[in-house]
Amino acid sequence: MDLQRARFVVDGMDCADCARRIEERLNRMGGVRGTTSNTGARTVTVEYEPDLVVPDQMRAELGRIGYLASERDSAGQLHAMRAGVWGTPFARRTYVSAGCFGIGLVLLWTALPDAARLLFFIGALVGGWNFMPVGFRALVRGVLDMHVLMTFAILGAIGLGEPLEAAAIAFLFSLAELLEQFAVRRAHDSLRGLLSLSPERATVLRDGEERLVPADELRPGDLILLRIGERVPVDGTVVEGATAVDASAITGESIPVDCVVGDGVMSGMRATGGFAVIRVDRPRDESTLARIVQLIEGAEARKARSERFVARFARVYTPAVTAFAFLVVTIPTVFLGAPFDLWFERALTLLVIACPCALVISTPVAVVSGLTAAARHGVLIKGGETLEELAAVRTIALDKTGTLTYGHPVVTDMEAWDGRPADELMGKAAAAERRSEHPLARAIVRGALDRGIDIDRHRVAAFAATPGVGVTAMVDGEEISVGGEQDVQLGARGETAVERIEKLRESGKTVLVVSSDGRPAGMIALADRPRVESRETVETLARLGIRPVMLTGDDALTASQVASAVGISEFYARLRPGEKLEWIERVEPEARPTAMVGDGVNDAPALAAAGVGIAMGAAGSDVALETADAALMGDRVERLPYLFRLARVSRRVIRQNVIASIFIKLSLAAAVPFGLVSLVTAVLVGDLGASLGVTANSMRLAGLRPRVRP
């Protein structure tokens, strides 16, 4: 039977323990075949058999254990949390608890103990209500979780006649939980910021009239207008005019990119110059921006190894400390005749320490911070597991074309043979080629513009293109032809010209001869040359201890030239896609994990087989986004060192958080039987302090930026 998928936003699912309990509850329902939770986005995705169970039944089941669930919209957008954590009922109860606790302390210091005790009692109950309802329901089901432990601790302190400590536990633990919720949601701010880059409305051209319509109503084929300062609402293609766009939010490019007729634009880009008419290629919910957000949300559900370790540790740690608490109160009082109140309070302190909240957020907050920091700089990482794999990479295989090279022809040489300046001949050749859609023609036009040559000053007429030969046009009254099959005999200089052309062709370049009124006047050479940043990138990777290897389908001569130019000593040429896959499969067991960098299309098999597949220039490419484990959204190979640095720093932060959390919890637990830790200290240090510490440490990742020139 075909399975269907439902996705819910679950109010109150703010920790790994909550997520585990929700998953277990749903998985017990008949017809549910699998669940995946994402505590950061507070979502649960359920695969189910529609004939056996429906989403309404799942929501009702979650309601029975104290969670309010609502279905997500089909576009997969993040749930709008306008009020944030500070406007929720949980937060309001925390404020009341804090007020009662603070005023109670003032009254206690001013010799009004009865009024203080009353306020402490109220504060304990109000703050405790953040945990008690769920705790009672969990206790009935025989589940030992954080809510049960907090309920015992608060009611136990009240039973001991210590309302001050009960109020302190309720307030401080509520505050700790509130800060944990804020930390997780704060880590998503950049992701929610991506969504805001897509405008809600767009100017569409219909029946010759401009109309302002909601962006959600745009459909493929619609024509929209893009003016300076406006953002692109959907993915599309320029069909009229020209514009410069700021693509930094998508690809990390810091310099605006010129877009002319035929060039693609993506949702979220901002026009910085010019005016263009854009043909819509995809609806809004299938745009590159929406895909990035969906993939990052999905990535957060892919748990890192350290996160799985923490979950397993917490499942053992909590019941173990709880059992220890039972022994602490039982052995001294029953067998040794010690005071019950004293040892019962110490047992309650252990119950507080048994709550693993700071521990279970130590990894996900760091992972979310790392993923969103990377996304802001044009790098997509699909999950904490990939982040940890990247940190362990010591061998990286790089495809040549489109990765180390530009992947398209660029002008490398130009010469004029008839005595005129080379720029003048280049300008006329570009003017003639401007009406052609051939990749070599576009490269010549782009080369002339890059050299500052004014093409618009030339008058072009009688344009004609011959497939496989070239183009001919009247440029300023002069017949200009550009092609590869022309007579280059130039009298006494003919032999020199032929030798020059042959030498360029032997070096892997394409040579086009430019003729004026039927006579050869010069030549233009083009090649797919190495990126300017490739050599520095390779050198930086080597300094990071990563061995670079180049894999290419080109001939050995071209491969050798490119490898030498970028500083790679180990390369393999004439490899078909299947042979690249074989190379990865041979090396991966020895150098695990190996990273493979490619375009995500021809290299898809190798990307999938590598320990970490990294797609270059993935913006707008569904194949690249789906195939790779990580993706550089723009054609910026220099982002690779940043990717590995971020992964290594993230791994270090995660380990620091986990080790510190476990050390603090175990140290406090060991000190409790000796009377060295009070209830309030357990909450202040073991939960609030530890939570603040791991959160602050994780947020450092947000400030990690690429160390590259713009």
Side-chain angles (χ1 to χ4, degrees):
M1 177 179 293
D2 291 336
L3 297 179
Q4 292 189 11
R5 180 175 295 180
R7 197 174 283 181
F8 303 98
V9 174
V10 183
D11 190 29
M13 189 185 76
D14 297 303
C15 68
D17 191 51
C18 300
R20 177 176 59 82
R21 184 166 61 254
I22 288 170
E23 288 183 13
E24 290 176 351
R25 186 75 173 201
L26 291 173
N27 285 331
R28 286 201 295 266
M29 296 183 68
V32 172
R33 293 294 171 259
T35 58
T36 304
S37 61
N38 182 343
T39 54
R42 298 190 302 155
T43 62
V44 176
T45 302
V46 186
E47 285 191 339
Y48 64 96
E49 296 181 22
D51 288 348
L52 299 178
V53 66
V54 295
D56 284 345
Q57 292 174 304
M58 301 175 201
R59 283 197 296 269
E61 189 70 14
L62 293 180
R64 293 188 186 96
I65 58 174
Y67 294 98
L68 178 64
S70 58
E71 280 197 84
R72 290 170 53 102
D73 58 283
S74 59
Q77 304 294 304
L78 281 177
H79 178 56
M81 293 178 284
R82 301 296 183 188
V85 298
W86 310 112
T88 61
F90 189 105
R92 289 193 289 270
R93 285 191 289 268
T94 303
Y95 303 150
V96 173
S97 179
C100 291
F101 181 68
I103 296 172
L105 288 177
V106 173
L107 293 177
L108 188 63
W109 292 334
T110 54
L112 295 172
D114 292 337
R117 289 175 64 86
L118 177 62
L119 283 175
F120 289 147
F121 181 76
I122 295 172
L125 291 182
V126 173
W129 202 250
N130 284 330
F131 315 104
M132 291 178 183
V134 178
F136 289 138
R137 285 191 290 269
L139 190 60
V140 169
R141 299 191 316 273
V143 175
L144 183 66
D145 63 6
M146 176 266 291
H147 301 90
V148 173
L149 298 178
M150 282 302 98
T151 300
F152 280 161
I154 293 169
L155 295 180
I158 292 175
L160 287 174
E162 298 288 349
L164 187 152
E165 292 202 345
I169 295 171
F171 159 56
L172 293 175
F173 208 89
S174 293
L175 178 61
E177 286 293 296
L178 202 60
L179 290 173
E180 289 172 13
Q181 295 173 26
F182 172 74
V184 174
R185 296 188 193 180
R186 173 67 181 83
H188 285 78
D189 280 353
S190 297
L191 187 56
R192 292 197 294 272
L194 281 177
L195 286 176
S196 67
L197 296 177
S198 178
E200 296 295 327
R201 303 176 73 82
T203 304
V204 65
L205 194 61
R206 290 178 179 167
D207 302 324
E209 296 183 358
E210 297 182 16
R211 300 180 184 177
L212 196 63
V213 301
D216 288 333
E217 295 181 5
L218 295 174
R219 295 294 177 263
D222 285 345
L223 298 179
I224 57 176
L225 307 182
L226 185 66
R227 299 180 174 88
I228 296 177
E230 294 180 341
R231 289 195 179 272
V232 182
V234 292
D235 292 1
T237 303
V238 178
V239 295
E240 183 182 331
T243 184
V245 294
D246 175 6
S248 58
I250 308 297
T251 65
E253 300 282 349
S254 58
I255 300 175
V257 179
D258 292 328
C259 291
V260 297
V261 173
D263 288 341
V265 293
M266 289 173 286
S267 56
M269 290 181 170
R270 183 173 60 86
T272 59
F275 169 83
V277 178
I278 311 295
R279 183 188 67 238
V280 176
D281 292 339
R282 306 182 187 185
R284 191 186 189 200
D285 60 359
E286 296 178 12
S287 68
T288 298
L289 195 61
R291 292 282 296 131
I292 292 172
V293 172
Q294 291 167 14
L295 287 169
I296 294 179
E297 282 196 271
E300 293 168 29
R302 295 171 62 180
K303 303 291 192 295
R305 284 194 302 271
S306 56
E307 192 169 357
R308 293 195 293 268
F309 161 76
V310 167
R312 291 194 301 269
F313 179 85
R315 291 178 188 178
V316 175
Y317 166 80
T318 298
V321 176
T322 303
F324 184 38
F326 176 77
L327 295 177
V328 162
V329 71
T330 303
I331 293 175
T333 57
V334 175
F335 297 102
L336 303 178
F340 176 81
D341 289 357
L342 173 64
W343 289 96
F344 184 66
E345 182 176 353
R346 292 178 181 179
L348 292 179
T349 304
L350 280 171
L351 291 182
V352 171
I353 295 171
C355 293
C357 297
L359 176 61
V360 296
I361 72 162
S362 61
T363 298
V365 172
V367 168
V368 172
S369 296
L371 297 184
T372 52
R376 284 203 308 274
H377 295 103
V379 180
L380 177 64
I381 304 173
K382 292 186 181 178
E385 186 173 7
T386 298
L387 200 61
E388 290 189 337
E389 289 285 312
L390 282 165
V393 165
R394 290 297 178 269
T395 298
I396 183 170
L398 301 117
D399 178 46
K400 179 184 76 69
T401 305
T403 300
L404 295 171
T405 67
Y406 287 101
H408 55 79
V410 294
V411 174
T412 59
D413 306 86
M414 62 176 180
E415 295 177 2
W417 298 331
D418 59 358
R420 77 178 80 190
D423 280 0
E424 180 183 334
L425 186 65
M426 178 74 172
K428 291 196 172 185
E433 293 278 22
R434 196 169 197 176
R435 299 187 181 184
S436 173
E437 291 297 321
H438 194 281
L440 294 179
R442 294 174 67 90
I444 290 174
V445 172
R446 183 72 66 182
L449 294 174
D450 290 344
R451 288 167 171 77
I453 298 173
D454 184 7
I455 302 176
D456 295 329
R457 67 185 182 89
H458 298 293
R459 298 189 309 275
V460 181
F463 171 83
T466 305
V469 178
V471 302
T472 301
M474 296 300 296
V475 182
D476 299 334
E478 179 182 5
E479 186 184 71
I480 296 293
S481 298
V482 186
E485 301 294 334
Q486 299 187 40
D487 185 4
V488 292
Q489 297 304 317
L490 303 177
R493 295 183 55 206
E495 185 178 354
T496 303
V498 171
E499 291 177 350
R500 172 68 171 151
I501 291 173
E502 288 303 317
K503 184 177 180 181
L504 289 170
R505 286 175 175 165
E506 288 174 0
S507 66
K509 297 180 180 181
T510 298
V511 180
L512 301 178
V513 176
V514 183
S515 294
S516 171
D517 294 328
R519 297 185 302 275
M523 67 88 191
I524 299 173
L526 305 97
D528 180 13
R529 65 182 181 185
R531 297 178 186 272
V532 175
E533 306 85 2
S534 291
R535 187 175 188 89
E536 183 179 352
T537 298
V538 168
E539 292 174 349
T540 305
L541 290 173
R543 287 197 296 271
L544 291 173
I546 300 174
R547 173 175 66 110
V549 180
M550 188 180 78
L551 308 180
T552 180
D554 273 351
D555 60 84
L557 177 60
T558 302
S560 176
Q561 291 171 341
V562 172
S564 177
V566 302
I568 291 180
S569 58
E570 185 178 354
F571 66 90
Y572 300 87
R574 293 191 179 279
L575 297 181
R576 293 186 295 272
E579 292 172 324
K580 291 183 181 180
L581 171 62
E582 291 174 2
W583 189 91
I584 292 292
E585 290 177 336
R586 185 174 65 254
V587 173
E588 177 69 18
E590 305 170 2
R592 185 174 186 88
T594 298
M596 170 69 193
V597 186
D599 61 11
V601 182
N602 295 330
D603 300 314
L607 288 173
V612 182
I614 305 171
M616 275 284 294
S621 170
D622 286 339
V623 174
L625 290 174
E626 292 293 344
T627 303
D629 301 300
L632 308 182
M633 302 307 295
D635 288 322
R636 303 198 66 175
V637 70
E638 69 271 28
R639 284 287 190 266
L640 283 173
Y642 165 72
L643 177 61
F644 289 108
R645 284 196 187 101
L646 176 66
R648 292 182 181 185
V649 174
S650 298
R651 182 178 63 178
R652 186 163 63 246
V653 167
I654 289 170
R655 288 178 175 176
Q656 290 169 351
N657 287 351
V658 171
I659 292 172
S661 299
I662 292 176
F663 177 78
I664 290 172
K665 288 285 187 181
L666 293 181
S667 298
L668 290 173
V672 168
F674 302 100
L676 302 177
V677 179
S678 66
L679 270 170
V680 176
T681 302
V683 180
L684 276 174
V685 178
D687 201 83
L688 181 61
S691 297
L692 287 174
V694 300
T695 298
N697 195 35
S698 299
M699 290 303 175
R700 294 191 298 117
L701 296 173
L704 193 63
R705 300 176 180 275
R707 300 177 188 174
V708 296
R709 294 187 299 272

